[in-house]
Amino acid sequence: MKFFVDTAEIDDIRDLAATGLVDGVTTNPSLIHKSGRNFFEVIAQICDIVDGPVSAEVAATDFDTMLAEGKKLAKIANNVAVKVPLTHDGLKACRALTQAGTMVNVTLCFSANQAILAAKAGATFVSPFIGRLDDIAVEGMQLIADICTIYDNYPNFTTEVLVASVRSPLHVLEAARIGAHVATVPPSVLRQMVNHPLTEKGLAAFVADWQKTGQSIL
Ligand code: G3P
């Protein structure tokens, strides 16, 4: 399973990338707004920190402008994945951009039918938003299971399922059990995944007992 970090905060990206566990980054207009940074500058900086795909989302909703924006975003760096919404025009833009060799992440996916269309449009990634489905009492993880089952039925579908709107380590665990290709995870959730009270308790006991030996390794 690949882990992308879902943020535009440079310090978080740099800190987590240093672990070697980060395979990419996703941003969206809300995360860019929250960062307070210039869009092109922050995407370029992220692309310098992380070698994997970095999602940068178009702002337009019409095909022609999405295509123009997507082409401009793709020029920022070779690892930019252009994000387009799962709409009629977004799918058209996805097809055109992928045929031009650009990675495309089709976002705001909330149904298996939408995911089928994203795969037909040649998307590199499709981003089902499971947290926002859970928020309205619809099982987001069931959508991931449905999409992965459907995609497995068609070997010509090369689109990777990028689980998004992740709210907890449990979302990541369940997505991994299903076999989703990627999870894009907020920095706080990625850090939560590391922690376990028994690890902390066991390490404290090891440190204390080692100190009692009076020895040193270096
Ligand atoms: O960035 C895409 C997605 O992960 C956003 O999730 O938390 O705004 O529902 P969220």
Side-chain angles (χ1 to χ4, degrees):
M1 175 179 242
K2 286 180 271 190
F3 286 158
F4 291 4
V5 182
D6 196 31
T7 185
E9 302 299 327
I10 292 297
D11 290 346
D12 280 328
I13 294 168
R14 191 174 279 122
D15 175 53
L16 291 168
T19 65
L21 299 175
V22 172
D23 302 299
V25 175
T26 54
T27 71
N28 61 44
S30 301
L31 292 172
I32 296 298
H33 171 65
K34 182 181 175 187
S35 76
R37 295 283 307 274
N38 172 278
F39 185 26
F40 289 87
E41 289 176 6
V42 74
I43 294 297
Q45 194 173 3
I46 296 170
C47 288
D48 280 343
I49 298 168
V50 175
D51 294 334
V54 175
S55 290
E57 190 161 342
V58 298
T61 56
D62 68 290
F63 168 71
D64 291 329
T65 317
M66 276 190 205
L67 189 57
E69 290 180 346
K71 289 177 178 176
K72 187 173 181 182
L73 293 174
K75 288 176 181 172
I76 295 173
N78 291 335
N79 54 325
V80 164
V82 175
K83 241 187 184 183
V84 297
L86 215 158
T87 61
H88 177 85
D89 281 41
L91 291 170
K92 277 179 67 179
C94 174
R95 168 65 67 193
L97 288 166
T98 51
Q99 286 178 336
T102 299
M103 286 190 287
V104 176
N105 178 359
V106 178
T107 191
L108 289 169
C109 174
F110 293 97
S111 76
N113 273 333
Q114 286 181 318
I116 293 169
L117 294 173
K120 292 280 293 178
T124 313
F125 306 103
V126 64
S127 290
F129 278 31
I130 60 171
R132 297 192 190 186
L133 286 169
D134 289 356
D135 291 346
I136 61 167
V138 174
E139 285 192 44
M141 208 45 74
Q142 184 57 55
L143 174 60
I144 301 303
D146 290 347
I147 295 171
C148 288
T149 299
I150 291 165
Y151 278 19
D152 286 347
N153 291 339
Y154 301 96
N156 62 313
F157 280 3
T158 58
T159 301
E160 294 192 352
V161 179
L162 196 169
V163 180
S165 191
V166 166
R167 298 278 198 274
S168 72
L170 203 53
H171 273 161
V172 180
L173 180 62
E174 289 174 357
R177 283 181 177 142
I178 292 168
H181 304 88
V182 189
T184 191
V185 188
S188 59
V189 174
L190 209 48
R191 293 188 176 107
Q192 272 179 283
M193 287 176 67
V194 176
N195 301 330
H196 194 292
L198 289 182
T199 303
E200 291 165 16
K201 182 181 177 184
L203 183 58
F206 285 162
V207 167
D209 287 344
W210 176 254
Q211 285 171 346
K212 292 172 188 170
T213 69
Q215 299 179 60
S216 66
I217 295 172
L218 297 178

